[in-house]
């Protein structure tokens, strides 16, 4: 038969009860914090920067994110992502790169040559950098040898088949003799492409003339300077010029001077045609490399790649506005016909 509790024991029970409740609550909070800490530890961080925002580079970024999601790195769940654009300013690109390095993410993704140069210079091998949409990573001093990554740096090059682009212009514009190119002489990838065009032109019986557009605000006047001098205009994958492509298109329509591009996204915006890369595919290819690093592979062990998929896009309505009729054979072999 149990003994009756003394008054002192009853008081102790009353006092101990809230203490036990508090202890239990603290244990729950402790377990919750451990769970949150574990979740945070499992979350990977990726910082993405681009020299400017325009459809081609935006497509690269989306391709990276979609590929990562397919491989289990979903934004807002197991992946924290921050994106910043340098708005076409190389100085801002450097500031963004330094900030990102200070944040110590798992990977920095740098889209286009100026942003890649800034990221690699800031990271100095301490944080993996994966570049994308860089025409010549060796000339840009991102890597030392074609196709070979180096400590902390790998990526995807979008070296453009410029000779094929000039041949396509010849096919679409019979009798073309002079091709004008609008480019930013301060953008290394654009300089490479202009040089390639100058090298390829003589074998095709063509002459190349160049108009400089150091800023996006110069694109309109640079294109106008080619009127009466060029039979057609070629816009390479120059981020400065592409960001203001509509200005070049406007001149092309007014002067009946067809505008061709080095990237297929520009065809949707009014260029006559482009045999190039779908930059969304470039982003997905880049995303595979980023995922490998997040899974533990060193950047130096991932080869630098070229773009694997080429596509032809045409815009018959834009061609007509610039006084050109697209050959049926060209339209039939195009993967994309803009209506």
């Amino acid at each position: 038969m149990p003994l009756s509790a003394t008054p002192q024991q009853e008081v102790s029970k009353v006092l101990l009860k809230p203490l036990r409740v508090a202890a239990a609550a603290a244990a729950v909070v402790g377990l919750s914090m451990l769970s949150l800490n574990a979740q945070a530890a499992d979350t990977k961080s990726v910082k993405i920067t681009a020299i400017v925002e325009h459809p081609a580079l935006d497509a690269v970024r989306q391709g990276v994110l979609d590929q990562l999601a397919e491989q289990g790195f979903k934004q807002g769940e197991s992946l924290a992502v921050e994106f910043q654009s340098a708005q076409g300013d190389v100085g801002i690109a450097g500031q963004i790169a330094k900030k990102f390095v200070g944040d110590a993410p798992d990977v920095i993704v740098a889209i286009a040559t100026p942003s890649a140069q800034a990221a690699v210079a800031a990271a100095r091998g301490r944080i993996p950098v994966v570049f994308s949409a860089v025409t010549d990573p060796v000339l840009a001093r991102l890597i030392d040898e074609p196709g070979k990554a180096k400590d902390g740096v790998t990526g995807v090059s979008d070296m453009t088949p410029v000779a094929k682009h000039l041949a396509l212009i010849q096919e679409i514009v019979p009798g073309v003799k002079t091709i004008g190119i609008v480019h930013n002489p301060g953008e290394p990838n654009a300089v490479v492409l202009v040089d390639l065009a100058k090298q390829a032109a003589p074998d095709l019986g063509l002459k190349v003339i160049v108009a400089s557009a150091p800023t996006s605000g110069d694109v309109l006047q640079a294109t106008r300077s080619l009127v009466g001098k060029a039979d057609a205009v070629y816009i390479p994958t120059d981020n400065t010029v592409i960001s203001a492509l509509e200005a070049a298109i406007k001149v092309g329509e007014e002067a009946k001077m067809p505008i061709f591009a080095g990237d297929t996204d520009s065809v949707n915006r009014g260029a006559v045609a482009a045999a190039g890369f779908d930059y969304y595919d470039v982003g997905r290819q880049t995303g595979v490399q980023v995922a490998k690093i997040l899974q533990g592979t060193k950047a130096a062990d991932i080869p630098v790649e070229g773009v694997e998929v080429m596509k032809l896009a045409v815009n018959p309505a834009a061609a007509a506005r610039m006084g050109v009729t697209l050959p049926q054979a060209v339209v039939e072999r195009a993967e994309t016909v803009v209506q």
Side-chain angles (χ1 to χ4, degrees), residues 122-303:
R124 298 184 204 174
R126 293 170 293 176
I127 294 170
V129 175
V130 178
F131 61 79
S132 188
V134 170
T135 300
D136 191 335
V138 175
L139 184 67
R141 298 184 178 179
L142 302 177
I143 57 175
D144 300 322
E145 298 179 55
K148 292 187 178 181
K150 71 176 186 180
D151 188 30
V153 182
T154 189
V156 177
S157 167
D158 66 341
M159 179 63 80
T160 305
V162 175
K164 291 182 179 180
H165 289 181
L166 299 186
L168 177 66
I169 295 173
Q170 278 188 314
E171 184 179 4
I172 294 174
V173 186
V176 62
K177 295 297 181 184
T178 303
I179 294 178
I181 300 179
V182 182
H183 87 304
N184 173 8
E187 194 165 320
N189 57 298
V191 173
V192 170
L193 295 173
V194 170
D195 288 343
L196 288 174
K198 289 178 177 178
Q199 292 169 22
D203 290 340
L204 296 169
L206 297 171
K207 178 183 176 182
V208 168
I209 58 174
V210 177
S212 297
T215 72
S216 58
D218 297 319
V219 172
L220 181 67
Q221 188 55 41
T223 310
R224 280 180 175 161
S225 74
L226 296 172
V227 175
K229 301 175 183 176
D231 302 309
V233 172
Y234 172 60
I235 306 295
T237 50
D238 178 315
N239 296 294
T240 301
V241 181
I242 292 175
S243 67
L245 179 68
E246 283 71 18
I249 298 297
K250 179 176 183 292
V251 176
E253 292 179 351
E254 290 173 350
K256 302 301 180 187
M257 181 174 64
I259 308 292
F260 293 83
D263 71 290
T264 55
D265 288 297
S266 292
V267 177
N268 292 317
R269 298 166 65 192
V272 172
F277 315 123
D278 182 328
Y279 275 83
Y280 176 76
D281 291 337
V282 175
R284 290 188 70 94
Q285 190 174 338
T286 306
V288 172
Q289 295 182 327
V290 177
K292 287 179 180 178
I293 294 173
L294 295 179
Q295 292 162 350
T297 304
K298 292 182 179 180
D301 295 332
I302 302 172

Side-chain angles (χ1 to χ4, degrees), residues 12-202:
S12 297
K13 288 179 181 179
V14 172
L15 293 173
L16 286 171
K17 185 174 181 181
L19 291 174
R20 288 172 181 153
V21 171
V28 170
V29 171
L31 288 171
S32 297
M33 290 301 294
L34 286 172
S35 176
L36 288 173
N37 288 337
Q39 184 177 358
D42 290 339
T43 300
K44 299 295 185 180
S45 173
V46 172
K47 305 287 186 177
I48 305 177
T49 181
I51 186 60
V52 71
E53 291 181 82
H54 61 64
L57 300 191
D58 295 345
V60 172
R61 183 171 82 251
Q62 191 59 54
V64 170
L65 294 175
D66 288 351
Q67 183 64 41
L68 288 175
E70 283 190 15
Q71 295 194 225
F73 298 102
K74 296 183 179 180
Q75 189 174 357
E77 296 180 14
S78 57
L79 182 67
V81 176
E82 180 182 358
F83 168 71
Q84 288 197 26
S85 165
Q87 303 300 324
D89 190 312
V90 175
I92 294 176
Q95 294 171 15
I96 292 170
K98 289 176 182 177
K99 177 197 177 296
F100 281 0
V101 170
D103 292 340
D106 294 291
V107 184
I108 295 174
V109 178
I111 303 172
T113 302
S115 288
Q117 289 174 315
V120 170
R124 298 184 204 174
R126 293 170 293 176
I127 294 170
V129 175
V130 178
F131 61 79
S132 188
V134 170
T135 300
D136 191 335
V138 175
L139 184 67
R141 298 184 178 179
L142 302 177
I143 57 175
D144 300 322
E145 298 179 55
K148 292 187 178 181
K150 71 176 186 180
D151 188 30
V153 182
T154 189
V156 177
S157 167
D158 66 341
M159 179 63 80
T160 305
V162 175
K164 291 182 179 180
H165 289 181
L166 299 186
L168 177 66
I169 295 173
Q170 278 188 314
E171 184 179 4
I172 294 174
V173 186
V176 62
K177 295 297 181 184
T178 303
I179 294 178
I181 300 179
V182 182
H183 87 304
N184 173 8
E187 194 165 320
N189 57 298
V191 173
V192 170
L193 295 173
V194 170
D195 288 343
L196 288 174
K198 289 178 177 178
Q199 292 169 22

